[in-house]
Amino acid sequence: MILARLSQPADFEGWRDEARRLVGQGAPPEAISWLVAGEEDLFSGDAGVEVAEMEAPAALRVPRAFPELAETVICHRDPERFGLLYRLLLRLQAEPSLLTVATDDDVHRAEAMARTVRRDMHKMTAFVRFREVREEGEEPVFVAWFEPEHFILKRVSSFFTGRFATMRWSILTPQGSLHWDGTSLRMGEGATRAQAPDDDAMEAYWRCYYANIFNPARLKTDAMRKEMPVRYWRNLPEAELIAPLIAGAARQAEEMVMRAPTLPPERHLRQQARMVPAPSTDLESFENWEQAAAAARDCKRCDLCRDATQTVFGEGPLDAPVIFVGEQPGDQEDLAGRPFVGPAGRLFDAALEEAGLARERAYVTNAVKHFKFSLRGKRRIHERPNAGEVQACRFWLGIERQFLKPQLVVALGATAVSSLMGRTMSLSSVRGRDVTLEDGAPMLATVHPSYLLRLPDEARRGEERERFVADLRRIGELVPELKRRRAA
Ligand code: URA
């Protein structure tokens, strides 16, 4: 039996050095006994087993994901973790993409261990509760008691040094302790619960706060139990409130329903008074596109009309087979009153040209018709419209679509996707998929040209631009009428 010694249970550096040494010696996994300092050596006195040495690989190579996985797995309590990682390390030399094989026993086990460790770390970051300890004439120290399931103390320490950087604190656990003096971190011996304070002057305030933020109408006990397992309750000051709060929740929720509704703050009422009533949302309000475009000029459906120069309605032939929908007019579009005429518009034009499409045959518009910006000195900096603004402007986009009835609607970016789908959605969830909108119109989604302008890396920008042009070419295949006709 070959002994591999580690200084402590989650000694990743020690494991890595030992693993390198043992691989160099050609030691097979089953011949190694991993021994953590202070733990009993079950094999001392063992005469040893005959082991067939293996051929040592020339140089160790591992995929990028392995060190992170190993550093996490090594924190697990399972005594077999060291051997498992060593076996994975060896296998990765012959099978470099092994970690992508989720069904492989070793990979599956390591991933499961890593998940358990991450969960333990997450619980520790959520459930550590500090209590203030004041010694005469000394700065206060905040002390917490916690019982992690795995050896995560060192790994989770950066969370606490970052989050509570300016406090002096100690976290005591049975395995060891962390002590932060405001500048440096020291790891110390394990402790007992009795060494940690179990109350302080702030605790009553904390309980009061917790009781106040508890919303009986949203009570979901199963989810609570899952998120906050009972084993952590012992150290949570708010735990003693949980049972009475749950018991009284149904009655409290009933009382909430019976109570008169809370009036909105006055500033909301003032805002509302400034808004012109929203036009009715049916197409019948307008006889044609021209009437709708004229009415949109006075749109006050949201606050964006206050600072923008003008409404930028869509433009293009009313029998266009394709509608392109962007996000909102930019600085130049706001001044010109026309969509996609600024830098993003120029990139859009060039990409259409490259894909062989004719912009003049398409209708181009935006999900939001007013420019949203914040002022930085004299510059107007684009700001993303929020969900309420997108929702308010869906009315106009709906009208444009109903008058045009295009064969295809193209969403440029996530705002357009969300507006067309009627709910917040990411672009990646629909890009490249054939999507049918609620009214039956087919939609295709691609990136917004501004996204390409913002990419800092030139190579990446080139790749993404090619993907964009490929998406536009696909539009040409779906709707050949949009293709630029070549001069004979
Ligand atoms: N970005 C858009 O989404 N639309 C424009 O019109 C210009 C820039």
Side-chain angles (χ1 to χ4, degrees), residues 33-192:
S33 173
W34 295 90
L35 189 67
V36 177
E39 288 180 7
E40 201 186 343
D41 176 6
L42 299 175
F43 297 99
S44 60
D46 188 333
V49 288
E50 280 290 306
V51 293
E53 288 202 353
M54 11 158 268
E55 200 177 318
L60 283 178
R61 294 186 72 86
V62 291
R64 243 191 253 164
F66 183 70
E68 206 277 327
L69 178 69
E71 271 194 80
T72 310
V73 169
I74 211 145
C75 300
H76 201 283
R77 231 173 221 295
D78 189 331
E80 290 183 18
R81 63 195 180 281
F82 309 116
L84 170 67
L85 290 174
Y86 185 73
R87 201 160 54 245
L88 276 174
L89 175 66
L90 284 179
R91 290 186 59 199
L92 281 168
Q93 308 313 305
E95 305 165 69
S97 37
L98 175 64
L99 295 186
T100 61
V101 186
T103 48
D104 179 272
D105 280 352
D106 286 342
V107 175
H108 177 74
R109 194 152 161 224
E111 288 292 356
M113 282 189 190
R115 269 197 306 280
T116 311
V117 168
R118 285 189 204 108
R119 185 176 149 85
D120 200 28
M121 288 169 58
H122 170 70
K123 294 293 175 210
M124 181 159 173
T125 60
F127 296 138
V128 155
R129 297 283 182 270
F130 288 105
R131 271 105 183 184
E132 190 178 353
V133 177
R134 262 181 200 274
E135 300 274 337
E136 198 58 54
E138 295 268 340
E139 287 272 299
V141 185
F142 294 85
V143 182
W145 169 251
F146 194 76
E147 289 158 88
E149 273 186 77
H150 301 278
F151 300 109
I152 56 174
L153 214 51
K154 188 161 166 227
R155 197 147 166 74
V156 83
S157 61
S158 60
F159 168 84
F160 291 99
T161 52
R163 174 65 68 86
F164 304 106
T166 55
M167 290 165 30
R168 290 200 310 150
W169 52 257
S170 291
I171 300 177
L172 311 182
T173 83
Q175 307 161 5
S177 44
L178 296 173
H179 304 280
W180 174 252
D181 62 7
T183 45
S184 62
L185 183 73
R186 183 170 61 78
M187 295 199 65
E189 297 287 294
T192 61

Side-chain angles (χ1 to χ4, degrees), residues 126-287:
F127 296 138
V128 155
R129 297 283 182 270
F130 288 105
R131 271 105 183 184
E132 190 178 353
V133 177
R134 262 181 200 274
E135 300 274 337
E136 198 58 54
E138 295 268 340
E139 287 272 299
V141 185
F142 294 85
V143 182
W145 169 251
F146 194 76
E147 289 158 88
E149 273 186 77
H150 301 278
F151 300 109
I152 56 174
L153 214 51
K154 188 161 166 227
R155 197 147 166 74
V156 83
S157 61
S158 60
F159 168 84
F160 291 99
T161 52
R163 174 65 68 86
F164 304 106
T166 55
M167 290 165 30
R168 290 200 310 150
W169 52 257
S170 291
I171 300 177
L172 311 182
T173 83
Q175 307 161 5
S177 44
L178 296 173
H179 304 280
W180 174 252
D181 62 7
T183 45
S184 62
L185 183 73
R186 183 170 61 78
M187 295 199 65
E189 297 287 294
T192 61
R193 193 167 204 280
Q195 287 171 271
D198 58 6
D199 201 356
D200 72 358
M202 287 303 289
E203 213 121 290
Y205 293 111
W206 167 244
R207 279 190 284 262
C208 176
Y209 169 73
Y210 185 84
N212 276 290
I213 59 164
F214 177 81
N215 183 348
R218 296 221 162 156
L219 178 64
K220 289 201 178 81
T221 43
D222 285 348
M224 257 175 108
R225 236 177 248 124
K226 191 157 161 256
E227 272 311 300
M228 201 189 205
V230 175
R231 60 179 289 266
Y232 297 108
W233 289 23
R234 239 157 40 104
N235 303 318
L236 299 175
E238 65 269 30
E240 64 185 57
L241 299 175
I242 295 175
L245 284 173
I246 291 177
R251 182 184 40 78
Q252 244 188 305
E254 233 169 73
E255 282 170 14
M256 279 165 75
V257 173
M258 300 305 289
R259 240 176 274 145
T262 327
L263 289 175
E266 246 187 62
R267 80 192 137 84
H268 288 189
L269 297 174
R270 282 199 303 273
Q271 254 167 20
Q272 238 167 31
R274 276 203 308 270
M275 308 236 299
V276 163
S280 89
T281 44
D282 46 348
L283 184 61
E284 282 71 52
S285 327
F286 307 107
E287 276 170 26

